[in-house]
Amino acid sequence: AALAYEEDQQVYAWSRFVFGGPSVVVESIACVPHSSEYYLYLVVSRTIDGANVRTIEYIRPDFTIASTTDWDGFVAMDNYKTGTLSGAVTAITSLTDYESADVVCQVGTLFMTGTVSASGVLTLSAAIQAAGTNGKTYRVGFSYTGWFKAFPPEVQNVNGTAQGKVKRIANMVVRVKDTTNFSHGIDTANLRFEDFAQTSDAAGAPPPHRTEDVRISFDNGLDTRAAFSIKQTQPYPLSILSIMPEFGVYGS
């Protein structure tokens, strides 16, 4: 559990961190100074190929990217291993910390999901192999899900509070920072993928990180709560600065 604490703004908000990997448990934490910042270090336990494996990991306080197409400054995976590929590579070997586990892999700007074999080998997808591997940086790690669930929105109208009244969200503007794609819907079981790709984006690569107001079509029907969820299940960044729903309130 994490507490966002901003005394000047009177913000005190709890959230959960769910780490990627099989049978994952955070056993210990410590806050350690690092230059002008503080890093949160963790002892994390996972069950890898039937055996208990402990790793020491840390959470960076912030992600900094050099440009909208920089994929080296933002790694959206847990407990990842990185290296450089040499030549035409069809598989990444020596992944003993991930044996028999489901992982996500990034090579250049391309991503894939797969299962590491019991001998620590991950076969690269046909798309990654076709794009070429020589000299490219790879990262292999556990994926995690970013999930935001809103409380029922409130707006004052001539009849008072909107709580308990029938509401409908028609559209929504989401202000994002360095974000690429996400899914949204009335709950996590009914999500629609929002693709940020534009015709000017490079073919075969993920769309650039965007810092802008994204307008999405959103129809939750008519109900009294009008709650909604935003979820990121891909190994892409998701930083939400503001959510501005456009909705109508019906009834007295």
Side-chain angles (χ1 to χ4, degrees):
L3 174 66
Y5 174 76
E6 287 285 351
E7 186 175 13
D8 291 345
Q9 302 295 324
Q10 296 183 339
V11 172
Y12 314 93
W14 285 98
S15 59
R16 290 183 69 210
F17 278 79
V18 181
F19 290 81
S23 304
V24 58
V25 177
V26 177
E27 297 182 331
S28 181
I29 63 174
C31 195
V32 179
H34 186 278
S35 185
S36 61
E37 301 175 313
Y38 286 85
Y39 282 22
L40 181 66
Y41 279 79
L42 314 97
V43 176
V44 183
S45 170
R46 296 180 177 87
T47 301
I48 304 297
D49 201 20
N52 181 258
V53 175
R54 287 181 174 86
T55 54
I56 297 177
E57 305 172 26
Y58 67 87
I59 299 177
R60 290 172 55 184
D62 192 15
F63 291 100
T64 303
I65 61 175
S67 68
T68 59
T69 56
D70 172 27
W71 290 93
D72 290 327
F74 198 116
V75 182
M77 58 183 73
D78 282 336
N79 189 31
Y80 69 88
K81 177 180 181 179
T82 185
T84 302
L85 300 176
S86 178
V89 177
T90 60
I92 300 175
T93 60
S94 302
L95 299 176
T96 54
D97 286 345
Y98 311 94
E99 292 174 354
S100 303
D102 296 330
V103 296
V104 62
C105 174
Q106 172 195 1
V107 178
T109 60
L110 298 181
F111 289 88
M112 60 164 282
T113 57
T115 303
V116 177
S117 72
S119 57
V121 177
L122 176 66
T123 301
L124 297 177
S125 67
I128 290 178
Q129 295 184 44
T133 58
N134 187 40
K136 291 186 177 179
T137 299
Y138 76 84
R139 293 180 178 87
V140 175
F142 297 111
S143 64
Y144 60 84
T145 298
W147 176 23
F148 169 83
K149 184 176 181 180
F151 288 107
E154 167 62 12
V155 61
Q156 292 294 315
N157 57 37
V158 294
N159 295 320
T161 179
Q163 300 304 310
K165 296 183 174 65
V166 175
K167 295 179 285 291
R168 174 180 176 269
I169 299 177
N171 299 289
M172 186 181 302
V173 176
V174 182
R175 182 167 296 161
V176 296
K177 180 181 184 298
D178 301 330
T179 291
T180 302
N181 301 337
F182 55 76
S183 299
H184 56 85
I186 58 175
D187 54 52
T188 56
N190 297 276
L191 296 175
R192 188 178 73 181
F193 183 71
E194 191 72 26
D195 193 345
F196 286 10
Q198 299 179 359
T199 55
S200 58
D201 296 337
H209 310 297
R210 305 198 187 281
T211 299
E212 59 188 47
D213 288 354
V214 179
R215 184 180 178 84
I216 59 179
S217 177
F218 189 100
D219 189 354
N220 67 318
L222 295 172
D223 62 28
T224 58
R225 294 183 62 81
F228 58 89
S229 294
I230 294 178
K231 199 170 187 179
Q232 177 59 282
T233 57
Q234 300 184 95
Y236 293 148
L238 175 62
S239 295
I240 300 173
L241 304 181
S242 179
I243 299 175
M244 296 154 277
E246 301 172 3
F247 62 94
V249 180
Y250 309 92
S252 56

